[in-house]
Amino acid sequence: MFRIAVLPGDGIGREIVPEAVGVLQKIDKKYGLGLEFQYGLISEDAYAKYGHPLPQETIDLCKQSQAVLLGAVGSPQMDALPAELRPERAALLPIRKILGLFANLRLVTAYEPLLHASTLKPEVISGIDILVVRELTGGLYFGEKRREGAGPEERAVDTLVYTRAEIERILRFAFAAAHKRRKHLTSVDKANVLTSSQLWREVAMEVAKDYPDVELHHMYVDNCAMQLVRNPKLFDVIVTENMFGDILTDQASMLSGSLGMLPSASLGGEVALYEPAHGSAPDIAGQNKANPLATILSAALLLRYSLHHEAAAKDVEAAVVAVLNEGLRTPDIMEAGCTPVGTTEMGEAVRRRI
Ligand code: NAD
């Protein structure tokens, strides 16, 4: 038996997660994987029932599972709560930290049928295949925060801290990933300004000695943002710290056509977590408009990284490409001549192809 904790969360999380679970159930039938799904509450529903967006019950459920499938958190109601109870700060960041998930992998692929759905020119994005390795449990999002004083002198302080050990483990992870791919690693920092980035760069050069076959390039984050839209074919594996990775991957998602196409896997602990790279999209929640493919592709990563079942993972990815080739499109990737479908129809179409 392989237990998966399912946390749909808020907004479109409640619509896209059932589609991905349906895909996993179909895969389970086909390959006899013995999947078991246990549902847990996070964010709005958890707050309503337990008074906290990340109750102990949910933490225990995740720890007792082999993998976690998460939708997204965040809603206008929850975002109005005091900072320490807001779902990203009180649920999302803590669950990643508690599970020790220091490495977030986001795969940016140009799907041929979607080349014209991107705002970028097809010849710029055709053939791209980028793996972004984002450090997930350190840096600015986890450093000490405080507000002090009042009036014009009021100060808000966020602290950016990285230890040598934290930098080294994410870099080793990224070098190992690059070694298995096209052997090209771009380490993204802001070493011209930030001391944490200077340490990052030093450690990158040290770790590089253990991976002589991987070509290491350093790039400032501002240049990287520009190169991602100018010439994304430059990149194979990108490794970067938490906040830079957060921002660069949203930008990179447009190379795949939409934020709704970008899956992610968070690894490093005993239990891995899989979620789409996007948020809860309150603007389209409850309207059957959300693209479920990022979550379905995250389920494929679950099959690959947690179940080590490459054939099942490829089966899901091929089904996604097949429905795109059929011309089915949710509104975010819609183009003239294609067939508009909603969230549930898209999920059903992928299941039919498995
Ligand atoms: P968002 O990612 O939710 O949405 C950004 C834009 O992309 C919106 O226009 C949205 O409609 C669109 N979009 C996102 N996912 C889509 C999908 N699957 N299909 C079609 N369109 C999609 O980011 P936001 O609007 O900045 O934040 C909304 C809420 O989500 C906030 O409360 C924020 O804190 C939260 N959030 C959560 C996560 C997470 O759970 N990992 C990540 C980012 C933001």
Side-chain angles (χ1 to χ4, degrees):
M1 191 194 64
F2 186 94
R3 183 182 288 178
I4 300 172
V6 182
L7 313 178
D10 303 320
I12 60 168
R14 296 175 183 142
E15 300 166 69
I16 53 183
V17 166
E19 300 312 321
V21 170
V23 166
L24 286 172
Q25 284 167 333
K26 186 90 190 271
I27 283 286
D28 192 18
K29 247 188 207 158
K30 182 165 172 181
Y31 293 92
L33 303 175
L35 304 183
E36 186 192 291
F37 300 91
Q38 299 250 344
Y39 287 79
L41 301 181
I42 192 164
S43 193
E44 208 170 87
D45 294 342
Y47 183 71
K49 183 161 178 195
Y50 298 102
H52 195 279
L54 183 64
Q56 190 58 43
E57 283 77 356
T58 301
I59 297 172
D60 292 343
L61 171 69
C62 293
K63 284 185 171 169
Q64 288 153 12
S65 304
Q66 271 98 27
V68 180
L69 181 65
L70 173 68
V73 301
S75 68
Q77 293 86 325
M78 291 302 288
D79 291 349
L81 290 175
E84 63 280 7
L85 279 175
R86 283 191 209 144
E88 278 180 304
R89 183 147 153 205
L92 196 59
L93 299 187
I95 193 67
R96 292 169 176 168
K97 190 89 171 179
I98 290 164
L99 297 177
L101 306 173
F102 65 87
N104 181 236
L105 271 55
R106 296 184 171 185
L107 284 153
V108 186
T109 314
Y111 296 93
E112 286 301 311
L114 289 186
L115 285 185
H116 293 275
S118 173
T119 49
L120 295 162
K121 290 182 188 141
E123 63 269 26
V124 173
I125 54 174
S126 171
I128 59 143
D129 170 18
I130 305 171
L131 172 66
V132 184
V133 179
R134 167 188 169 195
E135 201 292 326
L136 203 60
T137 53
L140 207 50
Y141 295 177
F142 287 93
E144 190 204 329
K145 301 168 197 307
R146 60 174 193 279
R147 295 274 290 264
E148 54 199 20
E153 298 309 314
E154 182 178 0
R155 283 156 51 90
V157 181
D158 290 293
T159 323
L160 170 47
V161 180
Y162 268 110
T163 65
R164 178 176 283 274
E166 283 174 325
I167 299 171
E168 185 174 334
R169 71 179 174 183
I170 192 71
L171 278 156
R172 287 199 178 279
F173 196 101
F175 269 103
H179 172 73
K180 286 194 205 140
R181 290 173 44 106
R182 302 192 300 277
K183 300 186 178 16
H184 187 284
L185 179 64
T186 307
S187 173
V188 174
D189 63 36
K190 189 71 184 165
N192 48 345
V193 181
L194 299 176
T195 45
S196 56
S197 282
Q198 284 152 14
L199 179 60
W200 182 282
R201 200 172 269 219
E202 278 169 37
V203 176
M205 288 189 280
E206 282 165 27
V207 175
K209 292 178 193 149
D210 293 339
Y211 295 87
D213 62 331
V214 176
E215 200 183 321
L216 171 68
H217 284 263
H218 304 281
M219 192 178 276
Y220 294 137
V221 62
D222 35 358
N223 184 24
C224 181
M226 188 270 284
Q227 297 297 349
L228 271 173
V229 289
R230 179 179 170 269
N231 185 12
K233 287 180 195 139
L234 275 180
F235 300 105
D236 172 17
V237 180
I238 294 176
V239 61
T240 191
E241 63 96 55
N242 201 343
M243 186 174 72
F244 295 163
D246 191 4
I247 297 168
L248 290 176
T249 49
D250 261 34
Q251 183 186 356
S253 73
M254 284 316 294
L255 307 172
S256 296
S258 161
L259 200 45
M261 292 300 301
L262 197 64
S264 93
S266 300
L267 311 175
E270 282 174 26
V271 183
L273 184 147
Y274 301 87
E275 58 179 321
H278 59 73
S280 56
D283 53 335
I284 55 167
Q287 300 170 43
N288 197 33
K289 282 184 182 167
N291 184 345
L293 295 180
T295 317
I296 290 171
L297 291 165
S298 302
L301 297 182
L302 185 157
L303 294 166
R304 175 167 295 126
Y305 295 126
S306 284
L307 277 131
H308 308 289
H309 204 307
E310 187 60 25
K314 285 220 167 89
D315 207 344
V316 174
E317 288 163 350
V320 167
V321 172
V323 297
L324 294 175
N325 276 326
E326 277 173 41
L328 303 191
R329 300 283 188 274
T330 44
D332 57 311
I333 48 174
M334 185 59 195
E335 294 170 72
C338 291
T339 312
V341 293
T343 312
T344 50
E345 294 78 17
M346 186 60 110
E348 182 49 39
V350 174
R351 288 191 288 279
R352 262 203 315 274
R353 281 288 187 161
I354 288 167

